Amino acid sequence: MGGKHHGNYINPCLTLRQPWASLLVHGINRVEGRSWPAPVRGRLWIHAAGKVPDAATIKAMEDFYREIYAVNGILDIKFPEHYPVSKLLGHADFPLTRFF
């Protein structure tokens, strides 16, 4: 089976809880911190974990990013309409410069 190698990984994937997974894929969240080294460069697939996010968490995160972006005069943020779980959502290119 062919594929691009990223360190010791072929098609690496990171599982995140919602709403962080969708916010990363949609380019709203541009920073993802880990306590372990990430040897991945290039494409990293983003998978949404199975835990259903509660409405209060989604609202809190959307409000947080509205405030952060407003500092730079960005007021029209396109948040995801849905925050699906247990799904492969898309990918981000690392270092985080491009989102799909």
Side-chain angles (χ1 to χ4, degrees), residues 80-94:
E81 291 182 25
H82 306 285
Y83 292 89
V85 296
S86 299
K87 297 190 182 296
L88 185 64
L89 301 179
H91 65 83
D93 290 333
F94 281 78

Side-chain angles (χ1 to χ4, degrees), residues 32-77:
E32 178 57 31
R34 298 279 132 186
S35 60
W36 39 267
V40 177
R41 294 293 176 262
R43 181 169 293 168
L44 178 66
W45 292 96
I46 306 299
H47 172 261
K51 183 177 180 186
V52 176
D54 59 74
T57 300
I58 292 172
K59 181 180 180 336
M61 292 309 301
E62 288 181 354
D63 289 347
F64 171 78
Y65 282 105
R66 276 188 193 95
E67 286 182 35
I68 296 296
Y69 278 83
V71 169
N72 291 318
I74 301 169
L75 305 175
D76 186 27
I77 303 169

